Amino acid sequence: MDAILQIIAIFAVISGAAFSILGLLGVIRMPDVYTRLHATGKVGVFGVVFLLIAAIVWLPAGRGKALMLILFLLLAGPVTAHALASAAYRTGIPFARPIRDDLEHLASAPLNDADTPSA
Amino acid sequence: MLSTLYLTLGIYVLLLILALWRVWRGENAIDRLIGVDLVTVLTLGILVILALIYRDSIFIDVALGLAALGFITTIALAKHIADEQMF
């Protein structure tokens, strides 16, 4: 029984590491902030959640805690990505390859200097 | 089993250094904030790997605390950067 759990844990750890590597590769390679947010979401959600699945399988004592952490991460991931994206858009960070901007009429005039936001 | 865990720990530490490099070299504030968020998440991953290595579930409590703090920090900083008020 222990061997089967061990194999599952190994597969979960390896896939978690693979997702983290790919996610971080995305963070480095992506042209602008908005696409980079896709990559951070992958690292955060898939990388750590698979590790936690391995933790659930491999650590019988911490099973409830790991489940709590998985739920929290699945909730927190998209929220942080949305907060970052709206902050980036509101400080006027340009798109790398702008095709269409649905928020053009809604957002206040974006600033040109991204590092000194207005009040 | 233990060797894969140590290998994964090495990979995550390497990714952590890459994320820190992203924080250092970010063009604008949001890039640096993405780097900080990434560092938090990778530290979380390292904590969970340590829990697996030492087979001790206390690390997952630490990871839970760090996840909550990292989440709040990113949200507060993003809001502060966007429109200067914190809450």
PDB file of all heavy atoms in Angstrom, chain B residues 28-67:
ATOM      1  N   ASN B  28       8.653  47.827 -14.753  1.00  0.00           N
ATOM      2  CA  ASN B  28       7.822  48.783 -14.015  1.00  0.00           C
ATOM      3  C   ASN B  28       7.350  48.145 -12.717  1.00  0.00           C
ATOM      4  O   ASN B  28       7.701  47.010 -12.407  1.00  0.00           O
ATOM      5  CB  ASN B  28       6.638  49.185 -14.890  1.00  0.00           C
ATOM      6  CG  ASN B  28       6.070  47.959 -15.557  1.00  0.00           C
ATOM      7  OD1 ASN B  28       5.907  46.950 -14.906  1.00  0.00           O
ATOM      8  ND2 ASN B  28       5.832  48.046 -16.859  1.00  0.00           N
ATOM      9  N   ALA B  29       6.525  48.907 -11.988  1.00  0.00           N
ATOM     10  CA  ALA B  29       6.197  48.476 -10.624  1.00  0.00           C
ATOM     11  C   ALA B  29       5.461  47.145 -10.638  1.00  0.00           C
ATOM     12  O   ALA B  29       5.696  46.267  -9.810  1.00  0.00           O
ATOM     13  CB  ALA B  29       5.337  49.558  -9.975  1.00  0.00           C
ATOM     14  N   ILE B  30       4.568  46.965 -11.619  1.00  0.00           N
ATOM     15  CA  ILE B  30       3.743  45.756 -11.605  1.00  0.00           C
ATOM     16  C   ILE B  30       4.603  44.533 -11.901  1.00  0.00           C
ATOM     17  O   ILE B  30       4.424  43.462 -11.318  1.00  0.00           O
ATOM     18  CB  ILE B  30       2.611  45.886 -12.644  1.00  0.00           C
ATOM     19  CG1 ILE B  30       1.715  47.052 -12.278  1.00  0.00           C
ATOM     20  CG2 ILE B  30       1.799  44.616 -12.715  1.00  0.00           C
ATOM     21  CD1 ILE B  30       0.930  46.852 -11.027  1.00  0.00           C
ATOM     22  N   ASP B  31       5.633  44.704 -12.757  1.00  0.00           N
ATOM     23  CA  ASP B  31       6.504  43.554 -13.012  1.00  0.00           C
ATOM     24  C   ASP B  31       7.196  43.121 -11.737  1.00  0.00           C
ATOM     25  O   ASP B  31       7.304  41.932 -11.436  1.00  0.00           O
ATOM     26  CB  ASP B  31       7.573  43.956 -14.044  1.00  0.00           C
ATOM     27  CG  ASP B  31       7.098  43.632 -15.437  1.00  0.00           C
ATOM     28  OD1 ASP B  31       6.234  42.738 -15.541  1.00  0.00           O
ATOM     29  OD2 ASP B  31       7.560  44.263 -16.388  1.00  0.00           O
ATOM     30  N   ARG B  32       7.651  44.122 -10.984  1.00  0.00           N
ATOM     31  CA  ARG B  32       8.337  43.769  -9.739  1.00  0.00           C
ATOM     32  C   ARG B  32       7.379  43.111  -8.772  1.00  0.00           C
ATOM     33  O   ARG B  32       7.709  42.158  -8.065  1.00  0.00           O
ATOM     34  CB  ARG B  32       8.950  45.040  -9.127  1.00  0.00           C
ATOM     35  CG  ARG B  32      10.136  45.549  -9.918  1.00  0.00           C
ATOM     36  CD  ARG B  32      10.823  46.660  -9.194  1.00  0.00           C
ATOM     37  NE  ARG B  32      10.085  47.920  -9.294  1.00  0.00           N
ATOM     38  CZ  ARG B  32      10.250  48.765 -10.311  1.00  0.00           C
ATOM     39  NH1 ARG B  32      11.068  48.487 -11.287  1.00  0.00           N
ATOM     40  NH2 ARG B  32       9.580  49.889 -10.331  1.00  0.00           N
ATOM     41  N   LEU B  33       6.107  43.586  -8.797  1.00  0.00           N
ATOM     42  CA  LEU B  33       5.124  42.995  -7.891  1.00  0.00           C
ATOM     43  C   LEU B  33       4.823  41.556  -8.302  1.00  0.00           C
ATOM     44  O   LEU B  33       4.654  40.675  -7.461  1.00  0.00           O
ATOM     45  CB  LEU B  33       3.842  43.842  -7.933  1.00  0.00           C
ATOM     46  CG  LEU B  33       2.795  43.515  -6.883  1.00  0.00           C
ATOM     47  CD1 LEU B  33       3.400  43.510  -5.516  1.00  0.00           C
ATOM     48  CD2 LEU B  33       1.655  44.504  -6.958  1.00  0.00           C
ATOM     49  N   ILE B  34       4.818  41.309  -9.631  1.00  0.00           N
ATOM     50  CA  ILE B  34       4.618  39.929 -10.090  1.00  0.00           C
ATOM     51  C   ILE B  34       5.759  39.063  -9.584  1.00  0.00           C
ATOM     52  O   ILE B  34       5.577  37.942  -9.110  1.00  0.00           O
ATOM     53  CB  ILE B  34       4.549  39.904 -11.631  1.00  0.00           C
ATOM     54  CG1 ILE B  34       3.240  40.497 -12.117  1.00  0.00           C
ATOM     55  CG2 ILE B  34       4.705  38.506 -12.153  1.00  0.00           C
ATOM     56  CD1 ILE B  34       3.133  40.564 -13.608  1.00  0.00           C
ATOM     57  N   GLY B  35       6.991  39.645  -9.627  1.00  0.00           N
ATOM     58  CA  GLY B  35       8.140  38.887  -9.122  1.00  0.00           C
ATOM     59  C   GLY B  35       7.981  38.570  -7.648  1.00  0.00           C
ATOM     60  O   GLY B  35       8.226  37.452  -7.207  1.00  0.00           O
ATOM     61  N   VAL B  36       7.495  39.554  -6.873  1.00  0.00           N
ATOM     62  CA  VAL B  36       7.335  39.313  -5.433  1.00  0.00           C
ATOM     63  C   VAL B  36       6.291  38.226  -5.205  1.00  0.00           C
ATOM     64  O   VAL B  36       6.471  37.298  -4.402  1.00  0.00           O
ATOM     65  CB  VAL B  36       6.919  40.636  -4.732  1.00  0.00           C
ATOM     66  CG1 VAL B  36       6.427  40.368  -3.335  1.00  0.00           C
ATOM     67  CG2 VAL B  36       8.075  41.603  -4.722  1.00  0.00           C
ATOM     68  N   ASP B  37       5.199  38.289  -5.977  1.00  0.00           N
ATOM     69  CA  ASP B  37       4.161  37.272  -5.839  1.00  0.00           C
ATOM     70  C   ASP B  37       4.723  35.896  -6.176  1.00  0.00           C
ATOM     71  O   ASP B  37       4.458  34.911  -5.485  1.00  0.00           O
ATOM     72  CB  ASP B  37       3.012  37.622  -6.813  1.00  0.00           C
ATOM     73  CG  ASP B  37       1.822  36.722  -6.556  1.00  0.00           C
ATOM     74  OD1 ASP B  37       1.649  36.319  -5.397  1.00  0.00           O
ATOM     75  OD2 ASP B  37       1.119  36.384  -7.525  1.00  0.00           O
ATOM     76  N   LEU B  38       5.554  35.879  -7.228  1.00  0.00           N
ATOM     77  CA  LEU B  38       6.151  34.603  -7.643  1.00  0.00           C
ATOM     78  C   LEU B  38       7.065  34.076  -6.545  1.00  0.00           C
ATOM     79  O   LEU B  38       7.074  32.875  -6.245  1.00  0.00           O
ATOM     80  CB  LEU B  38       6.952  34.852  -8.919  1.00  0.00           C
ATOM     81  CG  LEU B  38       7.028  33.702  -9.909  1.00  0.00           C
ATOM     82  CD1 LEU B  38       5.654  33.247 -10.283  1.00  0.00           C
ATOM     83  CD2 LEU B  38       7.805  34.132 -11.114  1.00  0.00           C
ATOM     84  N   VAL B  39       7.842  34.981  -5.910  1.00  0.00           N
ATOM     85  CA  VAL B  39       8.746  34.535  -4.845  1.00  0.00           C
ATOM     86  C   VAL B  39       7.944  33.927  -3.713  1.00  0.00           C
ATOM     87  O   VAL B  39       8.270  32.863  -3.168  1.00  0.00           O
ATOM     88  CB  VAL B  39       9.607  35.725  -4.359  1.00  0.00           C
ATOM     89  CG1 VAL B  39      10.248  35.407  -3.034  1.00  0.00           C
ATOM     90  CG2 VAL B  39      10.645  36.075  -5.386  1.00  0.00           C
ATOM     91  N   THR B  40       6.805  34.566  -3.382  1.00  0.00           N
ATOM     92  CA  THR B  40       5.980  34.028  -2.289  1.00  0.00           C
ATOM     93  C   THR B  40       5.492  32.629  -2.630  1.00  0.00           C
ATOM     94  O   THR B  40       5.574  31.709  -1.825  1.00  0.00           O
ATOM     95  CB  THR B  40       4.767  34.952  -2.082  1.00  0.00           C
ATOM     96  OG1 THR B  40       5.193  36.294  -2.102  1.00  0.00           O
ATOM     97  CG2 THR B  40       4.075  34.647  -0.797  1.00  0.00           C
ATOM     98  N   VAL B  41       5.022  32.487  -3.880  1.00  0.00           N
ATOM     99  CA  VAL B  41       4.435  31.194  -4.247  1.00  0.00           C
ATOM    100  C   VAL B  41       5.518  30.125  -4.280  1.00  0.00           C
ATOM    101  O   VAL B  41       5.331  29.002  -3.817  1.00  0.00           O
ATOM    102  CB  VAL B  41       3.746  31.338  -5.618  1.00  0.00           C
ATOM    103  CG1 VAL B  41       3.426  29.988  -6.188  1.00  0.00           C
ATOM    104  CG2 VAL B  41       2.495  32.155  -5.474  1.00  0.00           C
ATOM    105  N   LEU B  42       6.715  30.495  -4.772  1.00  0.00           N
ATOM    106  CA  LEU B  42       7.774  29.474  -4.837  1.00  0.00           C
ATOM    107  C   LEU B  42       8.246  29.107  -3.444  1.00  0.00           C
ATOM    108  O   LEU B  42       8.557  27.945  -3.166  1.00  0.00           O
ATOM    109  CB  LEU B  42       8.925  30.005  -5.693  1.00  0.00           C
ATOM    110  CG  LEU B  42       8.618  30.024  -7.185  1.00  0.00           C
ATOM    111  CD1 LEU B  42       9.655  30.805  -7.942  1.00  0.00           C
ATOM    112  CD2 LEU B  42       8.507  28.617  -7.716  1.00  0.00           C
ATOM    113  N   THR B  43       8.261  30.091  -2.531  1.00  0.00           N
ATOM    114  CA  THR B  43       8.614  29.748  -1.143  1.00  0.00           C
ATOM    115  C   THR B  43       7.590  28.788  -0.565  1.00  0.00           C
ATOM    116  O   THR B  43       7.926  27.855   0.165  1.00  0.00           O
ATOM    117  CB  THR B  43       8.661  31.036  -0.306  1.00  0.00           C
ATOM    118  OG1 THR B  43       9.210  32.075  -1.089  1.00  0.00           O
ATOM    119  CG2 THR B  43       9.494  30.845   0.920  1.00  0.00           C
ATOM    120  N   LEU B  44       6.333  29.013  -0.948  1.00  0.00           N
ATOM    121  CA  LEU B  44       5.272  28.094  -0.520  1.00  0.00           C
ATOM    122  C   LEU B  44       5.577  26.687  -1.001  1.00  0.00           C
ATOM    123  O   LEU B  44       5.520  25.706  -0.256  1.00  0.00           O
ATOM    124  CB  LEU B  44       3.963  28.578  -1.145  1.00  0.00           C
ATOM    125  CG  LEU B  44       2.673  28.233  -0.451  1.00  0.00           C
ATOM    126  CD1 LEU B  44       2.573  28.981   0.841  1.00  0.00           C
ATOM    127  CD2 LEU B  44       1.515  28.617  -1.345  1.00  0.00           C
ATOM    128  N   GLY B  45       5.962  26.588  -2.296  1.00  0.00           N
ATOM    129  CA  GLY B  45       6.271  25.268  -2.845  1.00  0.00           C
ATOM    130  C   GLY B  45       7.419  24.622  -2.097  1.00  0.00           C
ATOM    131  O   GLY B  45       7.382  23.430  -1.760  1.00  0.00           O
ATOM    132  N   ILE B  46       8.444  25.441  -1.771  1.00  0.00           N
ATOM    133  CA  ILE B  46       9.603  24.890  -1.058  1.00  0.00           C
ATOM    134  C   ILE B  46       9.186  24.380   0.310  1.00  0.00           C
ATOM    135  O   ILE B  46       9.588  23.306   0.767  1.00  0.00           O
ATOM    136  CB  ILE B  46      10.703  25.966  -0.968  1.00  0.00           C
ATOM    137  CG1 ILE B  46      11.338  26.164  -2.342  1.00  0.00           C
ATOM    138  CG2 ILE B  46      11.756  25.606   0.050  1.00  0.00           C
ATOM    139  CD1 ILE B  46      12.317  27.304  -2.402  1.00  0.00           C
ATOM    140  N   LEU B  47       8.278  25.123   0.967  1.00  0.00           N
ATOM    141  CA  LEU B  47       7.816  24.678   2.290  1.00  0.00           C
ATOM    142  C   LEU B  47       7.110  23.335   2.178  1.00  0.00           C
ATOM    143  O   LEU B  47       7.309  22.429   2.992  1.00  0.00           O
ATOM    144  CB  LEU B  47       6.866  25.730   2.860  1.00  0.00           C
ATOM    145  CG  LEU B  47       7.528  26.878   3.602  1.00  0.00           C
ATOM    146  CD1 LEU B  47       6.527  27.960   3.907  1.00  0.00           C
ATOM    147  CD2 LEU B  47       8.152  26.360   4.882  1.00  0.00           C
ATOM    148  N   VAL B  48       6.296  23.177   1.127  1.00  0.00           N
ATOM    149  CA  VAL B  48       5.558  21.913   1.012  1.00  0.00           C
ATOM    150  C   VAL B  48       6.537  20.782   0.722  1.00  0.00           C
ATOM    151  O   VAL B  48       6.422  19.675   1.243  1.00  0.00           O
ATOM    152  CB  VAL B  48       4.487  22.036  -0.097  1.00  0.00           C
ATOM    153  CG1 VAL B  48       3.801  20.710  -0.325  1.00  0.00           C
ATOM    154  CG2 VAL B  48       3.465  23.071   0.288  1.00  0.00           C
ATOM    155  N   ILE B  49       7.582  21.082  -0.066  1.00  0.00           N
ATOM    156  CA  ILE B  49       8.564  20.027  -0.341  1.00  0.00           C
ATOM    157  C   ILE B  49       9.291  19.645   0.940  1.00  0.00           C
ATOM    158  O   ILE B  49       9.524  18.475   1.236  1.00  0.00           O
ATOM    159  CB  ILE B  49       9.553  20.488  -1.418  1.00  0.00           C
ATOM    160  CG1 ILE B  49       8.851  20.639  -2.753  1.00  0.00           C
ATOM    161  CG2 ILE B  49      10.692  19.515  -1.562  1.00  0.00           C
ATOM    162  CD1 ILE B  49       9.727  21.219  -3.807  1.00  0.00           C
ATOM    163  N   LEU B  50       9.591  20.627   1.775  1.00  0.00           N
ATOM    164  CA  LEU B  50      10.236  20.309   3.057  1.00  0.00           C
ATOM    165  C   LEU B  50       9.317  19.440   3.909  1.00  0.00           C
ATOM    166  O   LEU B  50       9.758  18.498   4.572  1.00  0.00           O
ATOM    167  CB  LEU B  50      10.570  21.609   3.799  1.00  0.00           C
ATOM    168  CG  LEU B  50      11.761  22.387   3.250  1.00  0.00           C
ATOM    169  CD1 LEU B  50      11.983  23.659   4.054  1.00  0.00           C
ATOM    170  CD2 LEU B  50      13.006  21.518   3.310  1.00  0.00           C
ATOM    171  N   ALA B  51       8.009  19.739   3.839  1.00  0.00           N
ATOM    172  CA  ALA B  51       7.072  18.889   4.590  1.00  0.00           C
ATOM    173  C   ALA B  51       7.168  17.454   4.090  1.00  0.00           C
ATOM    174  O   ALA B  51       7.155  16.501   4.873  1.00  0.00           O
ATOM    175  CB  ALA B  51       5.655  19.425   4.400  1.00  0.00           C
ATOM    176  N   LEU B  52       7.307  17.293   2.752  1.00  0.00           N
ATOM    177  CA  LEU B  52       7.373  15.932   2.216  1.00  0.00           C
ATOM    178  C   LEU B  52       8.677  15.259   2.609  1.00  0.00           C
ATOM    179  O   LEU B  52       8.720  14.074   2.934  1.00  0.00           O
ATOM    180  CB  LEU B  52       7.259  15.978   0.691  1.00  0.00           C
ATOM    181  CG  LEU B  52       5.870  16.319   0.143  1.00  0.00           C
ATOM    182  CD1 LEU B  52       5.938  16.565  -1.346  1.00  0.00           C
ATOM    183  CD2 LEU B  52       4.904  15.198   0.431  1.00  0.00           C
ATOM    184  N   ILE B  53       9.784  16.054   2.615  1.00  0.00           N
ATOM    185  CA  ILE B  53      11.085  15.442   2.915  1.00  0.00           C
ATOM    186  C   ILE B  53      11.107  14.965   4.359  1.00  0.00           C
ATOM    187  O   ILE B  53      11.435  13.812   4.662  1.00  0.00           O
ATOM    188  CB  ILE B  53      12.218  16.452   2.638  1.00  0.00           C
ATOM    189  CG1 ILE B  53      12.386  16.636   1.134  1.00  0.00           C
ATOM    190  CG2 ILE B  53      13.516  15.992   3.256  1.00  0.00           C
ATOM    191  CD1 ILE B  53      13.412  17.660   0.763  1.00  0.00           C
ATOM    192  N   TYR B  54      10.696  15.863   5.291  1.00  0.00           N
ATOM    193  CA  TYR B  54      10.802  15.501   6.711  1.00  0.00           C
ATOM    194  C   TYR B  54       9.568  14.754   7.204  1.00  0.00           C
ATOM    195  O   TYR B  54       9.477  14.426   8.388  1.00  0.00           O
ATOM    196  CB  TYR B  54      10.990  16.768   7.544  1.00  0.00           C
ATOM    197  CG  TYR B  54      12.316  17.429   7.327  1.00  0.00           C
ATOM    198  CD1 TYR B  54      12.395  18.712   6.814  1.00  0.00           C
ATOM    199  CD2 TYR B  54      13.506  16.759   7.591  1.00  0.00           C
ATOM    200  CE1 TYR B  54      13.612  19.321   6.578  1.00  0.00           C
ATOM    201  CE2 TYR B  54      14.727  17.353   7.363  1.00  0.00           C
ATOM    202  CZ  TYR B  54      14.768  18.643   6.853  1.00  0.00           C
ATOM    203  OH  TYR B  54      15.981  19.237   6.625  1.00  0.00           O
ATOM    204  N   ARG B  55       8.584  14.522   6.300  1.00  0.00           N
ATOM    205  CA  ARG B  55       7.338  13.839   6.671  1.00  0.00           C
ATOM    206  C   ARG B  55       6.753  14.432   7.936  1.00  0.00           C
ATOM    207  O   ARG B  55       6.306  13.735   8.826  1.00  0.00           O
ATOM    208  CB  ARG B  55       7.590  12.338   6.881  1.00  0.00           C
ATOM    209  CG  ARG B  55       7.992  11.632   5.613  1.00  0.00           C
ATOM    210  CD  ARG B  55       7.611  10.190   5.638  1.00  0.00           C
ATOM    211  NE  ARG B  55       6.167   9.990   5.504  1.00  0.00           N
ATOM    212  CZ  ARG B  55       5.641   8.817   5.214  1.00  0.00           C
ATOM    213  NH1 ARG B  55       6.395   7.783   5.023  1.00  0.00           N
ATOM    214  NH2 ARG B  55       4.343   8.681   5.130  1.00  0.00           N
ATOM    215  N   ASP B  56       6.726  15.770   7.980  1.00  0.00           N
ATOM    216  CA  ASP B  56       6.207  16.430   9.177  1.00  0.00           C
ATOM    217  C   ASP B  56       5.217  17.479   8.697  1.00  0.00           C
ATOM    218  O   ASP B  56       5.552  18.312   7.862  1.00  0.00           O
ATOM    219  CB  ASP B  56       7.393  17.094   9.908  1.00  0.00           C
ATOM    220  CG  ASP B  56       6.922  17.766  11.168  1.00  0.00           C
ATOM    221  OD1 ASP B  56       5.709  17.692  11.418  1.00  0.00           O
ATOM    222  OD2 ASP B  56       7.749  18.370  11.872  1.00  0.00           O
ATOM    223  N   SER B  57       3.968  17.427   9.207  1.00  0.00           N
ATOM    224  CA  SER B  57       2.941  18.279   8.604  1.00  0.00           C
ATOM    225  C   SER B  57       2.943  19.680   9.191  1.00  0.00           C
ATOM    226  O   SER B  57       2.055  20.475   8.867  1.00  0.00           O
ATOM    227  CB  SER B  57       1.578  17.651   8.845  1.00  0.00           C
ATOM    228  OG  SER B  57       1.249  17.822  10.205  1.00  0.00           O
ATOM    229  N   ILE B  58       3.941  20.018  10.044  1.00  0.00           N
ATOM    230  CA  ILE B  58       3.944  21.367  10.616  1.00  0.00           C
ATOM    231  C   ILE B  58       4.275  22.379   9.525  1.00  0.00           C
ATOM    232  O   ILE B  58       3.816  23.518   9.544  1.00  0.00           O
ATOM    233  CB  ILE B  58       4.956  21.440  11.777  1.00  0.00           C
ATOM    234  CG1 ILE B  58       4.741  22.708  12.594  1.00  0.00           C
ATOM    235  CG2 ILE B  58       6.398  21.413  11.267  1.00  0.00           C
ATOM    236  CD1 ILE B  58       3.458  22.695  13.360  1.00  0.00           C
ATOM    237  N   PHE B  59       5.028  21.936   8.515  1.00  0.00           N
ATOM    238  CA  PHE B  59       5.410  22.874   7.449  1.00  0.00           C
ATOM    239  C   PHE B  59       4.193  23.358   6.694  1.00  0.00           C
ATOM    240  O   PHE B  59       4.169  24.472   6.168  1.00  0.00           O
ATOM    241  CB  PHE B  59       6.383  22.183   6.476  1.00  0.00           C
ATOM    242  CG  PHE B  59       7.738  21.944   7.061  1.00  0.00           C
ATOM    243  CD1 PHE B  59       8.061  20.719   7.590  1.00  0.00           C
ATOM    244  CD2 PHE B  59       8.678  22.954   7.090  1.00  0.00           C
ATOM    245  CE1 PHE B  59       9.307  20.494   8.138  1.00  0.00           C
ATOM    246  CE2 PHE B  59       9.927  22.740   7.637  1.00  0.00           C
ATOM    247  CZ  PHE B  59      10.240  21.506   8.166  1.00  0.00           C
ATOM    248  N   ILE B  60       3.137  22.514   6.615  1.00  0.00           N
ATOM    249  CA  ILE B  60       1.967  22.931   5.851  1.00  0.00           C
ATOM    250  C   ILE B  60       1.240  24.029   6.599  1.00  0.00           C
ATOM    251  O   ILE B  60       0.667  24.942   5.993  1.00  0.00           O
ATOM    252  CB  ILE B  60       1.078  21.704   5.589  1.00  0.00           C
ATOM    253  CG1 ILE B  60       1.862  20.708   4.745  1.00  0.00           C
ATOM    254  CG2 ILE B  60      -0.176  22.102   4.852  1.00  0.00           C
ATOM    255  CD1 ILE B  60       1.107  19.512   4.335  1.00  0.00           C
ATOM    256  N   ASP B  61       1.326  24.043   7.939  1.00  0.00           N
ATOM    257  CA  ASP B  61       0.754  25.185   8.670  1.00  0.00           C
ATOM    258  C   ASP B  61       1.502  26.462   8.309  1.00  0.00           C
ATOM    259  O   ASP B  61       0.899  27.502   8.047  1.00  0.00           O
ATOM    260  CB  ASP B  61       0.909  24.941  10.188  1.00  0.00           C
ATOM    261  CG  ASP B  61       0.161  23.702  10.604  1.00  0.00           C
ATOM    262  OD1 ASP B  61      -0.658  23.232   9.797  1.00  0.00           O
ATOM    263  OD2 ASP B  61       0.416  23.188  11.704  1.00  0.00           O
ATOM    264  N   VAL B  62       2.825  26.343   8.268  1.00  0.00           N
ATOM    265  CA  VAL B  62       3.609  27.534   7.912  1.00  0.00           C
ATOM    266  C   VAL B  62       3.230  27.980   6.500  1.00  0.00           C
ATOM    267  O   VAL B  62       3.026  29.169   6.225  1.00  0.00           O
ATOM    268  CB  VAL B  62       5.114  27.200   8.000  1.00  0.00           C
ATOM    269  CG1 VAL B  62       5.949  28.401   7.637  1.00  0.00           C
ATOM    270  CG2 VAL B  62       5.470  26.696   9.369  1.00  0.00           C
ATOM    271  N   ALA B  63       3.062  26.993   5.599  1.00  0.00           N
ATOM    272  CA  ALA B  63       2.712  27.347   4.219  1.00  0.00           C
ATOM    273  C   ALA B  63       1.347  28.022   4.174  1.00  0.00           C
ATOM    274  O   ALA B  63       1.141  28.968   3.412  1.00  0.00           O
ATOM    275  CB  ALA B  63       2.699  26.087   3.366  1.00  0.00           C
ATOM    276  N   LEU B  64       0.425  27.589   5.032  1.00  0.00           N
ATOM    277  CA  LEU B  64      -0.906  28.211   5.050  1.00  0.00           C
ATOM    278  C   LEU B  64      -0.787  29.669   5.461  1.00  0.00           C
ATOM    279  O   LEU B  64      -1.342  30.565   4.805  1.00  0.00           O
ATOM    280  CB  LEU B  64      -1.786  27.450   6.039  1.00  0.00           C
ATOM    281  CG  LEU B  64      -3.301  27.557   5.840  1.00  0.00           C
ATOM    282  CD1 LEU B  64      -3.684  27.004   4.497  1.00  0.00           C
ATOM    283  CD2 LEU B  64      -4.025  26.780   6.931  1.00  0.00           C
ATOM    284  N   GLY B  65       0.007  29.915   6.518  1.00  0.00           N
ATOM    285  CA  GLY B  65       0.185  31.301   6.950  1.00  0.00           C
ATOM    286  C   GLY B  65       0.828  32.141   5.873  1.00  0.00           C
ATOM    287  O   GLY B  65       0.388  33.260   5.550  1.00  0.00           O
ATOM    288  N   LEU B  66       1.850  31.576   5.234  1.00  0.00           N
ATOM    289  CA  LEU B  66       2.555  32.344   4.200  1.00  0.00           C
ATOM    290  C   LEU B  66       1.630  32.619   3.023  1.00  0.00           C
ATOM    291  O   LEU B  66       1.620  33.719   2.456  1.00  0.00           O
ATOM    292  CB  LEU B  66       3.771  31.545   3.732  1.00  0.00           C
ATOM    293  CG  LEU B  66       4.582  32.195   2.611  1.00  0.00           C
ATOM    294  CD1 LEU B  66       5.176  33.494   3.078  1.00  0.00           C
ATOM    295  CD2 LEU B  66       5.674  31.253   2.147  1.00  0.00           C
ATOM    296  N   ALA B  67       0.782  31.639   2.668  1.00  0.00           N
ATOM    297  CA  ALA B  67      -0.126  31.852   1.528  1.00  0.00           C
ATOM    298  C   ALA B  67      -1.066  33.013   1.837  1.00  0.00           C
ATOM    299  O   ALA B  67      -1.259  33.918   1.020  1.00  0.00           O
ATOM    300  CB  ALA B  67      -0.920  30.579   1.272  1.00  0.00           C
TER     301      ALA B  67
END
